[in-house]
């Protein structure tokens, strides 16, 4: 078998033992890698109904089929566990060296079971596994942890996925970082924290062989060169932060906790402004010829020297969404999140909820007492110092930071119970996860995509904003086409997330990103790597299967139709300003679109999956358990 | 002893352009071994903090210390190109050359038990493969003197717009 070793490494932290599971070629043909394989391993290895923080919730790491080869942007891995944010599948992707080291160590996937009694750094040294004491790593930031491990092992080729102090303290939306990149969403860091798993380190020294290196090199070379042209200029030059101005123009830039979609201070938080004033260098994930990460630094004021990579989603959440027009504050906030290992999106949106709660008089100054501000502070929109102090309290789980570290859903439920308030009306989450930086009230197809997302509302797992923004449909109204569009865009995304390939390469195959433009090259890349004989028509089922196993996981965890919903605000409060003013998604509209979506998917009206559908997709064992 | 030279070409990396993608390492290891394995690459990317990144390969030093260090006389330097050649019959993998190199450009292949170093792909028709593939044109086969010349020209060009309007331009043939 080319492209795979055929082996999954199982590690039990409780018993400190390991075993190897061999998988068949047919299994790989179904699950491929990335989020698909990680989610399938989660299905196979979790105890259904367990708490996300229990030892029964496994950490499933699945490598990419192209990791370690020259296929551009193929150096990625998928990470899945039950999410402590949503209680459903938590699947994330991260790029760079970690996946490649794992590939060269000879493992297609790693499943980590149980929980350790003391802090541990699992070291996968080719075929050997060592449980290293991690006590000395505690409190170190994400990048420092990686460096400390390399130093201790005296090998700069050791790659680690780590948690930072936020994960150690189980901030619910803590994440996992490797090589400066994050498996960012759904709270993997707190799951690792619950297992006292500080880091997984890998040294892989073996070479990687593919079935047809000549073809693979030729295709890769051409894509690499194509990736220097206009199809990626958005990502290379300004990065995704270029969205700030574009979305503001459409009235879709979340502002002051998603109250509005236009921000008056947009000029000084734009990608263009960042590029001119704060950018230090552009860097890439391993195996990526694009390089989108805009390393940016605070160059003046109290936070001078704070530096991290800035991209749109983290930026909106920590600027316009907080009413903050100071780019330095945004960089500082994202730096706090990145260095301590937490999801900057969930953090920013939880802070914006707290700001609105303060401005509506439910939070008081004294709620924000901390060591630095013994009298507390006023957490108003636009207050940079207060926002940074709050982020630090979340990171340290100090005072109110403990509650805010639980995310918007738990924080609002708790406050509403304690103070008889109605903060749920501006708690921006669905299924417990904070949404992406696209105002879905002005994007009806995307509002459907967000509501039905298996890991919550997400811009990466669905591209349903595309037909809205491109004008393929009227973005302010609903019709019977939306279900099929939501299905098409989420399954398209699932193909990339499964291989995985970074979606930024999608126009570099032929200039066209649609299925007809991308799939023929993707088929050739898979076949040249694995020696398989896949056809064009085999690609779509890869995405559908990947999406379906996640949905099946959720159904087994108790998902019901009413879980596919939107934040209260998106369903009740029309925006008052800008080109998307007056719009929201009513319950009637959403339920209608859900009907069209379940129908397009071939599911029942209640959103359950027929046995026949699961068997058709090659998962009779899943059909047995949850099929109807 | 002088250990650098402007005489010979070597693979140079511009750290301002290098993005740390490691594509050079994939291509190098594939060209030399038929496998993708950065451990077997003769060019290595180095990242010492979040933004300080470059790639390094043999700098074809004058009086190359690796050649001097080899107790088996297994290393020799091509007088025309400066490329270090390794005599497989003589090399016993003692790694003194590895330690002698200030740039970490030599490694020992654990399977063949031989020292490995960049040979600028002298057997490849289209030259060094890393240079060919580098997506950002950060890699070049050049000499330090050529780079210095280029730097001087760039420095002058950068003030062109300020200087030119003040100088009456004359038709010139030189």
């Amino acid at each position: 078998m080319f492209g795979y070793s055929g082996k999954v490494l199982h590690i039990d932290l409780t018993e400190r033992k390991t075993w190897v599971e061999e998988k068949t070629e047919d299994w790989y043909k179904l699950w491929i890698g990335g989020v698909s394989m990680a989610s399938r391993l989660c299905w196979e290895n979790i105890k259904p109904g367990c708490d996300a923080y229990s030892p029964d919730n496994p950490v499933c790491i699945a490598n990419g089929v192209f990791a370690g080869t020259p296929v551009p942007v193929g150096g990625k891995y998928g990470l899945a566990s039950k999410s402590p944010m949503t209680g459903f599948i938590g699947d994330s992707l991260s790029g760079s060296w970690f996946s490649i080291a794992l590939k060269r160590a000879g493992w297609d996937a790693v499943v980590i079971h149980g929980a350790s009694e003391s802090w541990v750094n699992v070291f996968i040294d080719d075929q050997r596994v060592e449980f290293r004491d991690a006590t000395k790593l505690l409190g170190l930031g994400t990048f420092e942890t990686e460096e400390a491990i390399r130093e201790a092992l005296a090998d700069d080729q050791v790659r680690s996925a780590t948690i930072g102090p936020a994960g150690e303290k189980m901030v619910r939306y803590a994440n996992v970082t490797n090589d400066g990149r994050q498996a960012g969403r759904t709270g993997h860091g707190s799951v690792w924290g619950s297992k006292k798993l500080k880091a997984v380190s890998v040294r892989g020294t073996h070479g990687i062989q593919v079935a047809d290196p000549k073809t693979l090199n030729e295709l890769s070379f051409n894509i690499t060169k194509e990736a220097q042209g206009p199809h990626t200029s958005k990502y290379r030059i300004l990065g995704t932060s270029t969205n700030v101005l574009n979305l503001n123009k459409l009235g879709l830039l979340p502002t002051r906790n998603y109250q509005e979609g236009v921000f008056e201070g947009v000029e000084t938080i734009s990608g263009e402004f960042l590029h001119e004033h704060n950018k230090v260098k552009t860097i890439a994930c391993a195996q990526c010829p694009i390089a989108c990460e805009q390393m940016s630094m605070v160059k003046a004021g109290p936070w001078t020297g704070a530096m991290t990579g800035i991209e749109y989603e983290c930026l909106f959440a920590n600027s316009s969404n907080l009413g903050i027009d100071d780019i330095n504050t945004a960089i500082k906030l994202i730096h706090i999140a990145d260095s301590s290992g937490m999801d900057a999106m969930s953090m920013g949106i939880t802070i914006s909820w707290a700001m609105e709660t303060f401005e509506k008089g439910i939070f008081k100054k004294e709620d924000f007492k901390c060591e630095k501000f013994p009298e507390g502070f006023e957490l108003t929109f636009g207050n940079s110092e207060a926002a940074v102090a709050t982020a630090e309290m979340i990171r340290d789980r100090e005072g109110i930071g403990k509650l805010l570290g639980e995310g918007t859903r738990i924080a609002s439920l708790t406050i509403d119970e304690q103070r008889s308030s109605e903060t749920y009306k501006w708690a921006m989450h669905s299924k417990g996860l904070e949404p992406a930086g696209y105002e879905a009230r002005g994007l009806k197809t995307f509002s459907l995509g967000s509501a039905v997302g298996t890991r919550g509302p997400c811009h990466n797992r669905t591209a349903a904003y595309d037909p809205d923004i491109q004008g393929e449909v009227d973005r302010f109204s609903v019709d019977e086409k939306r279900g099929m569009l939501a299905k098409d865009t989420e399954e398209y995304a699932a193909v990339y997330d499964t291989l995985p390939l970074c979606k930024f390469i999608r126009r570099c195959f032929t200039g066209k990103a649609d299925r007809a433009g991308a799939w023929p090259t993707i088929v050739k890349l898979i076949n040249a790597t694995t020696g398989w004989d896949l056809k064009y028509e085999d690609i779509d089922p890869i995405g559908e299967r990947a999406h379906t196993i996640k949905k099946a996981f959720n159904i087994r965890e108790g998902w019901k139709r009413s879980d596919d919903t939107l934040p209260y605000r998106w369903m009740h409060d029309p925006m008052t300003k800008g080109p998307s003013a007056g719009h929201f998604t009513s319950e009637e509209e959403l339920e209608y679109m859900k009907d069209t979506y379940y129908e397009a998917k071939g599911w029942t009206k209640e959103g359950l999956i027929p046995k026949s559908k699961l068997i058709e997709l090659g998962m009779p064992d899943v059909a047995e358990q949850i099929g109807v | 002893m002088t250990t650098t030279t402007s005489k010979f070409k070597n693979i140079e990396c511009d750290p301002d352009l290098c993005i740390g993608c490691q594509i050079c390492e994939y291509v190098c290891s594939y060209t030399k071994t038929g496998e993708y394995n950065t451990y077997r690459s003769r060019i290595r990317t180095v990242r010492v903090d979040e933004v300080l990144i470059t790639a390094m390969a043999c700098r074809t030093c004058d009086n190359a210390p690796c050649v001097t260090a080899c107790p088996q006389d297994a290393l020799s330097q091509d007088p025309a190109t400066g490329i270090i050649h390794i005599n497989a019959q003589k090399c016993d993998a003692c790694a003194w050359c590895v330690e002698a190199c200030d740039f970490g450009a030599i490694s020992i292949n654990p399977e063949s038990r031989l020292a490995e170093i960049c040979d600028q792909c002298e057997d490849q028709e289209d030259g060094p493969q890393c240079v060919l593939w580098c997506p950002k044109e950060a890699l070049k086969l050049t000499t330090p003197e050529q780079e210095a010349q280029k730097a001087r020209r760039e420095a002058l060009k950068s003030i062109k717009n300020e200087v030119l309007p003040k100088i009456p331009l004359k038709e010139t043939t030189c």
Side-chain angles (χ1 to χ4, degrees):
Chain A
M1 196 162 32
F2 287 102
Y4 298 98
S5 67
K7 290 188 293 186
V8 175
L9 172 63
H10 288 264
I11 298 171
D12 185 339
L13 295 178
T14 312
E15 303 287 334
R16 301 231 160 169
K17 62 176 187 189
T18 66
W19 66 98
V20 177
E21 180 188 9
E22 296 195 352
K23 293 287 192 187
T24 64
E25 193 158 7
D26 286 342
W27 189 85
Y28 289 105
K29 280 185 176 168
L30 286 177
W31 306 109
I32 310 289
V35 299
S36 176
M37 191 193 289
S39 300
R40 170 68 199 190
L41 286 168
C42 219
W43 169 272
E44 291 179 8
N45 288 283
I46 198 172
K47 187 176 164 197
C50 72
D51 186 88
Y53 290 152
S54 89
D56 294 324
N57 186 20
V59 169
C60 302
I61 300 169
N63 219 332
V65 62
F66 302 128
T69 73
V71 173
V73 304
K76 290 177 90 74
Y77 67 95
L79 180 59
S81 292
K82 182 173 181 174
S83 163
M85 297 293 286
T86 66
F88 296 126
I89 189 81
D91 55 296
S92 284
L93 280 171
S94 179
S96 224
W97 286 300
F98 180 80
S99 66
I100 293 152
L102 193 62
K103 188 74 144 196
R104 288 204 309 250
W107 302 110
D108 298 326
V110 181
V111 181
I112 303 174
H113 307 259
S116 178
E117 263 182 34
S118 57
W119 284 96
V120 66
N121 166 209
V122 170
F123 178 37
I124 302 168
D125 189 9
D126 281 332
Q127 295 296 295
R128 188 179 68 93
V129 178
E130 188 184 330
F131 296 92
R132 295 171 60 85
D133 176 30
T135 317
K136 283 188 184 150
L137 301 172
L138 293 183
L140 292 182
T142 49
F143 195 76
E144 288 77 31
T145 304
E146 285 182 47
E147 287 287 274
I149 294 169
R150 277 193 277 272
E151 205 166 302
L153 292 167
D155 187 344
D156 71 356
Q157 300 251 19
V158 172
R159 305 298 174 186
S160 303
T162 75
I163 58 170
E168 291 166 24
K169 293 190 173 134
M170 288 171 69
V171 171
R172 195 167 284 267
Y173 44 81
N175 60 20
V176 169
T177 305
N178 64 284
D179 311 300
R181 307 294 307 177
Q182 287 108 8
R185 305 226 67 199
T186 70
H188 294 284
S190 62
V191 172
W192 288 34
S194 75
K195 298 181 179 310
K196 290 199 161 59
L197 175 62
K198 173 71 176 166
V200 177
S201 305
V202 189
R203 172 161 53 202
T205 65
H206 302 290
I208 292 161
Q209 289 182 331
V210 299
D212 179 359
K214 197 171 162 287
T215 304
L216 197 72
N217 283 354
E218 208 174 285
L219 289 165
S220 301
F221 185 85
N222 293 338
I223 301 165
T224 298
K225 296 298 169 187
E226 197 59 36
Q228 308 313 312
H231 302 315
T232 61
S233 55
K234 168 180 170 181
Y235 308 118
R236 283 184 287 119
I237 298 165
L238 296 178
T240 54
S241 304
T242 184
N243 284 351
V244 170
L245 289 182
N246 294 337
L247 290 177
N248 191 64
K249 243 177 257 162
L250 296 166
L252 301 171
L253 178 70
T255 299
R256 294 187 179 81
N257 195 36
Y258 292 79
Q259 293 186 66
E260 299 294 346
V262 285
F263 183 47
E264 68 285 0
V266 72
E267 291 299 331
T268 52
I269 56 160
S270 68
E272 289 75 0
F273 188 90
L274 184 77
H275 182 77
E276 199 182 328
H277 295 92
N278 303 85
K279 184 167 149 179
V280 179
K281 186 172 167 62
T282 308
I283 59 175
C285 287
Q287 209 176 314
C288 167
I290 302 173
C292 70
E293 182 149 34
Q294 313 292 320
M295 295 301 290
S296 306
M297 190 190 273
V298 178
K299 292 188 175 162
W303 306 306
T304 300
M307 178 176 71
T308 193
I310 303 292
E311 53 83 47
Y312 170 70
E313 291 291 336
C314 297
L315 180 55
F316 96 86
N318 293 284
S319 57
S320 61
N321 186 50
L322 304 178
I324 285 172
D325 61 5
D326 172 34
I327 195 79
N328 289 326
T329 306
I331 296 172
K332 174 63 181 173
L333 287 166
I334 298 166
H335 173 71
I336 291 170
D338 288 351
S339 58
S340 67
M342 50 184 169
D343 176 355
M345 292 168 68
S346 286
M347 181 190 84
I349 296 167
T350 307
I351 296 175
S352 69
W353 167 83
M355 284 177 161
E356 189 165 348
T357 304
F358 182 90
E359 294 210 340
K360 291 202 156 88
I362 297 153
F363 273 146
K364 309 277 183 213
K365 189 179 173 185
E366 54 269 27
D367 284 316
F368 296 92
K369 280 182 189 166
C370 57
E371 209 180 307
K372 214 163 155 186
F373 298 93
E375 308 294 313
F377 50 80
E378 302 201 336
L379 187 64
T380 48
F381 284 113
N383 185 339
S384 290
E385 201 184 2
V388 169
T390 308
E392 287 171 344
M393 287 170 76
I394 292 171
R395 175 193 66 195
D396 301 336
R397 305 219 82 174
E398 184 190 2
I400 194 82
K402 196 162 171 49
L403 179 68
L404 300 179
E406 295 293 314
T408 315
R409 174 163 70 178
I410 292 178
S412 68
L413 287 173
T414 307
I415 291 299
D416 288 349
E417 198 179 309
Q418 286 172 2
R419 308 188 183 184
S420 307
S421 52
E422 292 185 323
T423 69
Y424 70 89
K425 290 186 174 171
W426 57 89
M428 294 304 296
H429 74 84
S430 160
K431 297 192 177 80
L433 190 75
E434 291 75 11
Y438 294 77
E439 240 310 339
R441 284 175 289 187
L443 298 167
K444 287 288 164 68
T445 320
F446 184 60
S447 71
L448 171 62
S450 296
V452 301
T454 50
R455 72 167 186 176
C458 173
H459 63 291
N460 264 326
R461 297 290 178 267
T462 172
Y465 49 80
D466 230 30
D468 289 327
I469 292 178
Q470 302 303 330
E472 208 178 299
V473 291
D474 173 27
R475 67 185 174 100
F476 299 121
S477 63
V478 305
D479 58 46
E480 75 288 348
K481 289 199 292 274
R482 306 310 166 97
M484 189 53 86
L485 286 171
K487 170 188 154 71
D488 275 352
T489 52
E490 76 187 5
E491 291 175 5
Y492 176 88
V495 169
Y496 284 86
D497 296 340
T498 293
L499 296 167
L501 285 176
C502 171
K503 297 178 192 88
F504 293 176
I505 204 78
R506 66 191 184 279
R507 288 190 191 86
C508 299
F509 304 124
T510 61
K512 286 215 165 71
D514 60 3
R515 285 164 162 84
W519 282 191
T521 310
I522 285 178
V523 169
K524 286 184 203 159
L525 289 170
I526 298 174
N527 289 345
T529 303
T530 60
W532 295 343
D533 188 24
L534 297 193
K535 306 276 189 297
Y536 180 93
E537 56 272 21
D538 296 322
I539 301 301
D540 272 335
I542 290 172
E544 188 179 6
R545 196 175 295 118
H547 186 265
T548 305
I549 189 68
K550 294 192 284 176
K551 175 72 176 190
F553 180 98
N554 289 356
I555 291 171
R556 195 170 66 179
E557 295 296 328
W559 175 92
K560 29 189 205 321
R561 183 179 163 124
S562 57
D563 288 311
D564 281 356
T565 187
L566 291 169
Y568 181 93
R569 169 159 284 160
W570 277 355
M571 293 177 66
H572 295 87
D573 307 344
M575 286 183 282
T576 65
K577 293 180 197 157
S580 299
H583 296 283
F584 65 100
T585 307
S586 71
E587 190 176 342
E588 197 187 349
E589 284 176 317
L590 181 62
E591 292 305 319
Y592 168 70
M593 287 196 291
K594 278 160 65 179
D595 285 341
T596 66
Y597 169 77
Y598 298 142
E599 196 188 330
K601 296 289 281 192
W603 298 347
T604 69
K605 197 170 165 57
E606 286 311 304
L608 300 175
I609 314 173
K611 278 198 165 82
S612 55
K613 184 82 196 167
L614 292 160
I615 290 164
E616 174 198 321
L617 288 169
M619 34 183 137
D621 59 324
V622 178
E624 190 80 12
Q625 286 194 45
I626 59 104
V628 293
Chain B
M1 194 192 293
T2 316
T3 58
T4 55
T5 179
S6 57
K7 203 161 68 182
F8 299 126
K9 286 188 175 177
N10 65 288
I11 307 286
E12 277 274 346
C13 180
D14 183 340
D16 289 337
L17 296 177
C18 178
I19 54 170
C21 66
Q22 273 188 318
I23 287 173
C24 52
E25 298 186 35
Y26 292 112
V27 177
C28 179
S29 57
Y30 176 76
T31 306
K32 294 299 176 192
T33 71
E35 291 185 336
Y36 308 110
N37 184 354
T38 56
Y39 272 91
R40 294 274 54 82
S41 174
R42 289 136 191 241
I43 183 168
R44 299 285 181 96
T45 49
V46 193
R47 181 175 175 184
V48 292
D49 76 10
E50 285 161 292
V51 291
L52 195 53
I53 306 170
T54 194
M56 286 157 100
C58 175
R59 295 188 58 82
T60 55
C61 307
D62 212 1
N63 299 320
C66 54
V67 174
T68 313
C70 180
Q72 306 296 336
D73 286 334
L75 274 63
S76 59
Q77 186 165 32
D78 189 312
T81 61
I83 292 171
I84 307 294
H85 290 130
I86 291 154
N87 184 328
Q89 265 73 51
K90 290 184 180 173
C91 176
D92 65 356
C94 75
W96 278 24
C97 55
V98 175
E99 290 170 23
C101 178
D102 286 342
F103 304 100
I106 312 180
S107 57
I108 303 291
N109 185 324
E111 277 156 32
S112 67
R113 307 288 301 156
L114 290 173
E116 290 178 339
I117 190 163
C118 169
D119 62 4
Q120 302 175 8
C121 292
E122 55 182 347
D123 56 341
Q124 300 286 323
E125 263 172 44
D126 42 5
Q129 299 298 296
C130 56
V131 175
L132 192 68
W133 277 71
C134 178
K136 302 299 174 192
E137 297 177 9
L139 294 175
K140 271 180 295 194
L141 181 64
T142 183
T143 70
E145 177 52 25
Q146 283 171 344
E147 288 306 288
Q149 284 179 9
K150 203 179 132 209
R152 292 193 284 269
R153 294 173 63 81
E154 290 299 319
L156 189 58
K157 267 195 230 160
S158 71
I159 58 166
K160 184 173 135 186
N161 291 342
E162 291 160 42
V163 175
L164 282 189
K166 295 169 201 155
I167 304 175
L169 285 174
K170 271 191 265 176
E171 283 294 319
T172 170
T173 52
C174 67

